[in-house]
Amino acid sequence: MTILATSIAQALYFILALLILVVFAALLMAAAVYLHDRMQSRDAILRNYPLIGHMRYVLSALGEFFRQYFFAMDREELPFNRAERNWIERASLNSDSTIAFGSTKYIKETGTPIFVNCPYPTLEADKEPTPSFIIGPDSLHPYEAGSFFNISGMSFGALSAPAVHALSVGAKMAGCWLNTGEGGLSPHHLAGGADIVFQIGTAKYGVRNPDGSLNVDRLREIAALPQVKMFEIKLSQGAKPGKGGILPAVKVTPEIARIRTIPVGEDSISPNRHPEINNNEQLLDFVERIKTITGKPVGVKAVIGAYGWLDDLMQRIEKRGVCLDFFTLDSGDGGTGAAPMALMDNVGLSIRESLPLVHDILKRHGLGARIPIIAAGKLTTPAEAAWALCAGATFVNSARGFMFALGCIQSLKCNKNTCPAGITTHDPRLHKGLDPANKAVRVANYCRNLRHDVEVIAQSCGVPHPRRLRRFHVRIVGSDGVSRPLNELYPSDDPADSSPQAARQQAMALKGRTPAQGPGSAGC
């Protein structure tokens, strides 16, 4: 017993001594911080309130996480609220998407779309599969796109290797295309066998010479790959209209540098536009050059601010006979890319305004049926995708929606190489949480379930498939809380039958070649 008591006493003395040492070290460190804060002149708060002033910065850093999990209501957060994120998560897990006890959505908020249900909705027996759409019918290798919902441009570099791999496999499973983004074509894009849209950014990553000019031989090699279906010339993107892509040096790994043909470990900054494209005539020259080299459909991607150039572009297309095969329209309210806040918050029109505008310009020149619009920009839920189809889009692209399907938690660390979900980081330790096989299934589920719910909206509106949605099928809530039909806000003479054949007939009629169908009825 004496030996045991002595041992216990010695242990307690040791713990007490250790505790005193720790407290002394903490006090010494606090005193050092106090003196440093008092002597420094960089920060007024720390100088006036030494030591305790640091709490301001700690709480400020933690605030965004507390707001997301505890304080923000389901419909309050930006850029995506909890209700939107939860729907995507349930869709990606293929779990029950029903809710109970009424909607939490505030439907009187300005800009809210309200779809016009038909008293006699389409029966299950009468609904039709959403038809595919042929892009670039005059190309040597036209592309028959089966899915109206697809994966928008996210480069390998901005995204990690396992994330791109999962997107590729998931896209193949869901039958949608995968856009490479401006970072070039990697083996991870090709891994799943998905249809690929190769984006040619302003830096020509993946198809560039050392001086930044177009490498024709490399472009021809990529075009020869059967998986590569189309080429997209990026003029601007939603996150930063008027500025090129930004990939921080910490994310420029040897593999990414090799694919992009850039130095390792240096910031990858793209030019703010294509140096060889100074006007619409040169844009068409570049489009014609890419079409000639690749033999595949070629289109452009842009955010719309000024729009007079579009009328001029369409006139030149009619005059020259060199046509865009598609027009990807991005929203001006930001995207997945790192960007200056001044551009992300304040430059470029929202897709809500630009989509009807661009669609009407194309129609005015008789090119509405020839140049399909691919709409992008926070179109992550069935309601947003259905609105875009009503407004004039032929396809809908999403980037952040698929990031949520991969497991994104909206930590807003995409440009820091510290993404906790392993999606936008090249840290191998963080990659362990992203299993490409599992996430690919979630990507496919999200795509399929969104398409299904858009089809449900279409049936409720009385049409057999989503491609027959038109502007009179949706109303938009105004600032006075009253909704108005979209075809009154943006007058349209679209035929009630919105099949590709009817749309082409309408386009021909606008050119005076054939009689047009009537505009249809706002009923069903």
Side-chain angles (χ1 to χ4, degrees):
M1 291 294 292
T2 305
I3 297 174
L4 178 62
T6 303
S7 300
I8 292 174
Q10 290 176 344
L12 289 174
Y13 285 137
F14 176 77
I15 293 172
L16 181 61
L18 185 63
L19 180 61
I20 292 172
L21 183 63
V22 169
V23 170
F24 178 76
L27 290 173
L28 189 63
M29 183 179 297
V33 172
Y34 181 93
L35 291 174
H36 174 269
D37 290 348
R38 273 296 190 192
M39 296 175 64
Q40 61 86 33
S41 58
R42 178 178 52 85
D43 190 300
I45 297 298
L46 295 182
R47 189 164 191 175
N48 292 335
Y49 303 94
L51 196 60
I52 63 172
H54 288 277
M55 289 300 297
R56 176 187 183 276
Y57 302 102
V58 173
L59 293 175
S60 179
L62 293 175
E64 63 182 85
F65 305 109
F66 283 115
R67 286 191 294 274
Q68 180 176 132
Y69 293 108
F70 300 112
F71 303 122
M73 299 292 287
D74 284 352
R75 303 280 181 174
E76 284 183 344
E77 291 177 88
L78 289 175
F80 295 91
N81 62 50
R82 188 183 296 118
E84 292 167 333
R85 300 197 310 271
N86 285 349
W87 184 89
I88 296 171
E89 182 178 20
R90 291 195 302 271
S92 68
L93 292 172
N94 214 21
S95 60
D96 184 13
S97 63
T98 59
I99 58 174
F101 212 64
S103 174
T104 61
K105 186 173 184 177
Y106 183 62
I107 62 172
K108 289 189 177 294
E109 183 178 356
T110 302
T112 300
I114 299 176
F115 295 92
V116 181
N117 63 295
C118 178
Y120 310 107
T122 304
L123 294 172
E124 283 290 323
D126 296 331
K127 73 176 185 179
E128 302 171 5
T130 304
S132 58
F133 191 97
I134 296 177
I135 303 176
D138 301 329
S139 302
L140 186 61
H141 303 286
Y143 175 42
E144 184 174 357
S147 175
F148 64 81
F149 187 63
N150 300 281
I151 303 176
S152 194
M154 294 180 284
S155 66
F156 172 53
L159 298 192
S160 65
V164 175
H165 185 106
L167 288 173
S168 176
V169 176
K172 177 65 174 180
M173 293 168 64
C176 70
W177 75 59
L178 170 63
N179 190 305
T180 64
E182 70 169 324
L185 183 65
S186 73
H188 313 294
H189 289 107
L190 299 171
D195 292 348
I196 299 295
V197 178
F198 184 92
Q199 187 180 97
I200 302 176
T202 56
K204 317 287 192 303
Y205 292 136
V207 288
R208 62 178 282 158
N209 292 311
D211 63 356
S213 60
L214 183 68
N215 185 322
V216 174
D217 292 334
R218 179 59 182 149
L219 178 63
R220 192 174 284 114
E221 289 174 12
I222 290 175
L225 297 173
Q227 272 183 253
V228 178
K229 303 297 184 180
M230 302 194 296
F231 289 83
E232 178 182 80
I233 301 167
K234 190 185 82 168
L235 301 182
S236 54
Q237 70 181 88
K240 41 188 172 287
K243 185 171 179 61
I246 303 171
L247 188 67
V250 69
K251 299 180 77 172
V252 182
T253 65
E255 182 183 18
I256 290 166
R258 184 178 67 255
I259 292 169
R260 297 193 178 205
T261 322
I262 57 174
V264 178
E266 295 182 13
D267 287 340
S268 176
I269 310 294
S270 305
N272 65 340
R273 67 174 175 84
H274 291 271
E276 64 270 61
I277 302 176
N278 298 294
N279 50 52
N280 284 337
E281 197 67 28
Q282 291 181 348
L283 173 60
L284 291 180
D285 288 341
F286 194 71
V287 168
E288 187 173 25
R289 184 184 181 196
I290 302 300
K291 287 169 73 80
T292 301
I293 294 169
T294 65
K296 295 185 176 181
V298 178
V300 300
K301 174 180 181 176
V303 177
I304 299 301
Y307 53 87
W309 68 279
L310 283 173
D311 276 306
D312 177 72
L313 178 63
M314 297 306 129
Q315 290 170 4
R316 292 177 185 274
I317 285 174
E318 292 178 283
K319 181 179 178 180
R320 288 183 51 167
V322 177
C323 192
L324 305 178
D325 292 313
F326 61 90
F327 192 105
T328 302
L329 181 61
D330 208 358
S331 186
D333 50 359
T336 56
M341 182 182 289
L343 292 180
M344 189 177 287
D345 285 353
N346 306 294
V347 180
L349 296 179
S350 160
I351 194 73
R352 296 284 187 175
E353 188 173 357
S354 62
L355 177 52
L357 179 73
V358 172
H359 180 256
D360 290 347
I361 290 174
L362 293 177
K363 282 190 61 185
R364 189 161 61 241
H365 293 274
L367 295 169
R370 177 61 181 84
I371 305 178
I373 296 176
I374 304 170
K378 297 184 74 172
L379 305 175
T380 59
T381 64
E384 302 294 342
W387 169 86
L389 295 174
C390 288
T394 306
F395 300 95
V396 176
N397 272 5
S398 178
R400 286 171 288 184
F402 284 98
M403 288 177 69
F404 286 128
L406 287 170
C408 169
I409 61 171
Q410 194 169 271
S411 64
L412 308 180
K413 306 297 181 187
C414 304
N415 59 330
K416 302 296 185 183
N417 203 39
T418 57
C419 170
I423 299 170
T424 62
T425 178
H426 300 290
D427 184 339
R429 180 181 66 83
L430 296 172
H431 287 175
K432 294 178 181 178
L434 201 163
D435 175 16
N438 172 270
K439 302 303 183 184
V441 174
R442 293 184 56 163
V443 165
N445 286 341
Y446 168 56
C447 185
R448 293 190 191 113
N449 283 316
L450 185 137
R451 290 191 308 228
H452 172 268
D453 281 13
V454 173
E455 290 168 355
V456 170
I457 291 174
Q459 287 177 253
S460 179
C461 292
V463 295
H465 59 75
R467 291 206 185 281
R468 292 187 61 176
L469 287 170
R470 282 298 182 256
R471 290 183 186 178
F472 54 75
H473 287 124
V474 64
R475 300 172 67 92
I476 304 299
V477 176
S479 57
D480 57 0
V482 177
S483 67
R484 293 170 178 80
L486 186 61
N487 64 321
E488 288 185 11
L489 298 173
Y490 299 95
S492 170
D493 59 354
D494 278 326
D497 180 1
S498 58
S499 65
Q501 294 82 2
R504 286 184 182 276
Q505 183 182 6
Q506 184 74 4
M508 299 289 281
L510 289 171
K511 286 192 164 191
R513 297 179 188 172
T514 62
Q517 289 185 346
S521 166
C524 62

